[in-house]
Amino acid sequence: MLVKVKEFETFLHNCVKDNPKEIGQVIAACQVPVNPDSRFFIDIKEGKQLCLNSYRTVEPTRLLYYFTREQVEPFNRSDKKRIIVGVKACDLSALKLLDKALLEDDFQDPSYKYWRENTILISSDCQEFSSVCHCTIFDGKPWAEDGFDVNLSKVNDSYNIITGSSKGDFFIELLKRFVNISEQSSINQEKVKIKRQDYYNKLKEKNEKYTIESYSDLRVQDIKNWNKESKKCIGCGACTNICGICYCLILNDESTDDQFIKVRSTDSCQLNGYARVAGGDTPRPQMYDRFRNRYLCKFDYVQSKFNTYGCTGCGRCIEACPAEIDIREVVKNVKVVV
Amino acid sequence: MADKNPFKTIPAKIYEIVDESPLIRTIKVKPEINFPFQTGQFAEVSVPNIGEGPFTPSSPQSFGFNLEFTIMKTGFVTEHIHKTKVGDIIGLRGPFGSRYPIDEWKGKDVLIMGGGVGMAPTRSLFLSMVDNIDDYNSITFLIAARTPADMIYKDQIQEWSKIQKVKILKAVDKVPEGEKWDGDVCLVTKLLEKVKIKPKDNPAVTCGPPIMMKFGTLELLKYGYAEENIYLSMEKKMYCGHGQCRHCVMGKYYACKDGAVFTYDKIKNEEKIWE
Ligand code: SF4
Ligand code: SF4
């Protein structure tokens, strides 16, 4: 299907107003004038400038499904749907992993489940990169192949649209009521393919020097290397808080006299109190130990548990780190024999 | 987990409190709905508006409507548990984690080593087996504490010794002046010399401070127990209880979900199991 970019964006802006029964909120990747190089997820009711075809947003999509702070018990919400537009392939892989961890286990996080079920997720191909993007290292591609309800690929002044679920079909039904949709031509399809391959090659080339053969031996690397690599780390936890995947939590009891209330909020393994047990003992009192834990978690523990790395290569942690630590460099450096 | 929602909190009313030692108390609670658990599993116990912590019930597994928790004052949450009164409501989530496979131990000679706070889970284990004592060949229970005053369940231990097929030995590290003591003064591992050990195919459980479990395990291995028959309880920060928060991760395992009861062969190569 093919739809004009302009018409599509107008539809999004008016979506809540025009479909008050079905749609409660539209959140889209936007650009703001003060920070032209960054993209943010913003509720677009105030007519923000959309930026759907660039690289991923500053904040991970995870935080729209798994909030920094959220009441999880008791949990009840309305059943209007929300739409999130401009999600990137790296964040879709992150959600895939979160599904494994939070839905497909023998428990289900009720609020994550709610947001997953009540969100129409619209992804879009990356046609720009940030200097820290490195999804190709983990066999990622700058476009999504599955995991979306609807995907957009921009070609000239149109979006090539495909749907990936019944929620996607529902969205197209809404869209049809307001916007002209035409069949897409095979020439157009070919153009999407060529464009994608072109961006992929560029990104891959950029990250060539960071590609390493194996992550499975990180655990046996000399502790001295970890010590050296972690020297600059101040243990602030920015890297885990901004991560597309990290989902460690703290559960607070905020009960009232009549009711048990549980509030979940994010935690970071980089903080000293993280693994401390009652009485004060912690298995990782040293910074290099906690620093190393983050890498082992992503490339060893998560991998052996979920059969996929705990990193999508979104590069957010590199951007967020006040000490300018680059995850790609660290992995490479700890494997160097000193 | 009975419910897929791991955050569901069941109110439970405290109906009795027993002070076991200056730092350890047992609270007995009645949950609003049945809270069946299998011995070895734990619950997240919450004090309203304070917080929660993981505790293994010390009562036998058949008691879904009456649960007992024996809790040592060590930190913020436990301090508040120690402030509760009869009639107060606490919250329970769970039950979570692995269990002692006592149904697989039928016909066997079971060895249990418990010390300090590890007495709570081992009491539950011991009593759950005693409920069907005919099923087992024998139960040997080695109990340790730092001093006689720290030894909990004293009166009950007296009673337990009288049960057929049960042998109980107890030891303290030291006897301060003026305290009475009728057991041994040695490390719990020394007690092994005093009992008839039958390592072949039989299970051995150790539960207590990490240092005790470490040397207990090494000793049991020396005696010829198989790695897969040595059961340990990992004390990690089991925050959420169901393998979500990742605080208690041990390599590919969660202490809360794949444990807290592990057999030694499963975890021996993981990092920092004794810390
Ligand atoms: S953001 Fe950087 S300084 Fe902060 S904890 Fe992570 S690696 Fe360390
Ligand atoms: S570790 Fe860094 S690059 Fe990897 S998913 Fe998390 S934020 Fe992105």
Side-chain angles (χ1 to χ4, degrees), chain B residues 55-97:
Chain B
F55 300 99
T56 312
S58 52
S59 45
Q61 64 181 17
S62 45
F63 277 34
F65 273 110
N66 293 297
L67 296 171
E68 300 175 16
F69 293 92
T70 301
I71 293 170
M72 178 151 96
K73 205 196 279 188
T74 48
F76 183 69
V77 174
T78 50
E79 194 181 308
H80 279 87
I81 293 179
H82 275 246
K83 283 186 192 153
T84 54
K85 299 179 297 295
V86 170
D88 285 355
I89 305 285
I90 58 158
L92 301 177
R93 293 195 299 115
F96 299 117

Side-chain angles (χ1 to χ4, degrees), chain B residues 1 5 20 40 50 65 83-84 87 98 102 110 112 130 169 177 193 202 226 258:
Chain B
M1 220 177 313
N5 175 0
E20 309 276 5
I50 296 295
F65 273 110
K83 283 186 192 153
T84 54
S98 59
I102 56 174
V110 182
I112 308 172
V130 163
L169 290 179
E177 280 219 12
E193 291 170 10
N202 284 319
D258 306 301

Side-chain angles (χ1 to χ4, degrees), chain A residues 38-55:
Chain A
S38 301
R39 286 85 188 88
F40 299 93
F41 279 125
I42 296 179
D43 184 325
I44 59 170
K45 59 176 179 276
E46 304 123 35
K48 288 283 186 281
Q49 191 195 337
L50 305 194
C51 185
L52 304 183
N53 311 301
S54 181
Y55 40 85

Side-chain angles (χ1 to χ4, degrees), chain B residues 10-245:
Chain B
I10 297 164
K13 194 182 215 143
I14 302 178
Y15 67 89
E16 198 185 329
I17 292 175
V18 181
D19 285 316
E20 309 276 5
S21 82
L23 284 179
I24 299 180
R25 75 165 17 174
T26 297
I27 55 168
K28 305 188 180 184
V29 300
K30 266 191 208 317
E32 215 164 68
I33 56 171
N34 195 8
F35 192 88
F37 76 100
Q38 291 179 298
T39 187
Q41 289 190 302
F42 65 94
E44 290 286 347
V45 177
S46 30
V47 183
N49 218 4
I50 296 295
E52 51 174 40
F55 300 99
T56 312
S58 52
S59 45
Q61 64 181 17
S62 45
F63 277 34
F65 273 110
N66 293 297
L67 296 171
E68 300 175 16
F69 293 92
T70 301
I71 293 170
M72 178 151 96
K73 205 196 279 188
T74 48
F76 183 69
V77 174
T78 50
E79 194 181 308
H80 279 87
I81 293 179
H82 275 246
K83 283 186 192 153
T84 54
K85 299 179 297 295
V86 170
D88 285 355
I89 305 285
I90 58 158
L92 301 177
R93 293 195 299 115
F96 299 117
S98 59
R99 59 189 190 95
Y100 294 110
I102 56 174
D103 37 349
E104 291 164 24
W105 296 351
K106 288 182 180 162
K108 306 218 168 199
D109 296 291
V110 182
L111 176 72
I112 308 172
M113 272 194 238
V117 272
M119 279 308 289
T122 46
R123 175 180 184 254
S124 168
L125 168 67
F126 175 75
L127 293 178
S128 301
M129 288 196 293
V130 163
D131 276 348
N132 297 299
I133 189 73
D134 291 343
D135 288 347
Y136 304 94
N137 209 36
S138 73
I139 304 174
T140 306
F141 196 175
L142 310 181
I143 300 174
R146 275 190 314 140
T147 66
D150 294 316
M151 176 72 65
I152 60 172
Y153 307 138
K154 277 193 209 81
D155 298 344
Q156 299 175 37
I157 292 171
Q158 288 279 315
E159 293 302 309
W160 297 344
S161 316
K162 296 177 195 153
I163 304 170
Q164 49 129 357
K165 298 202 217 176
V166 169
K167 182 163 179 67
I168 294 187
L169 290 179
K170 49 188 187 170
V172 291
D173 295 348
K174 55 173 187 277
V175 184
E177 280 219 12
E179 282 190 40
K180 280 211 296 262
W181 182 239
D182 59 349
D184 287 275
V185 183
C186 63
L187 291 174
V188 66
T189 43
K190 271 271 172 210
L191 291 178
L192 283 169
E193 291 170 10
K194 297 191 150 201
V195 291
K196 223 169 141 246
I197 299 284
K198 297 176 212 157
K200 195 180 171 324
D201 292 336
N202 284 319
V205 174
T206 134
C207 185
I211 183 97
M212 182 200 118
M213 290 197 288
K214 179 176 178 180
F215 289 107
T217 302
L218 297 179
E219 204 63 24
L220 289 168
L221 288 169
K222 262 194 239 156
Y223 275 96
Y225 276 93
E227 289 176 350
E228 63 271 21
N229 288 332
I230 300 176
Y231 292 82
L232 308 162
S233 298
M234 286 295 115
E235 192 209 0
K236 297 278 164 191
K237 182 168 181 172
M238 299 183 291
Y239 216 151
C240 72
H242 53 275
Q244 179 173 358
C245 79

Side-chain angles (χ1 to χ4, degrees), chain A residues 230 232-240 268 270-271 287 291 294-295 317 320-325:
Chain A
S230 66
K232 285 194 297 178
C233 174
I234 55 166
C236 63
C239 50
T240 59
S268 170
Q270 301 305 290
L271 308 179
M287 189 61 238
F291 184 88
R294 174 168 162 253
Y295 288 81
C317 55
C321 180
E324 298 181 349
I325 295 170

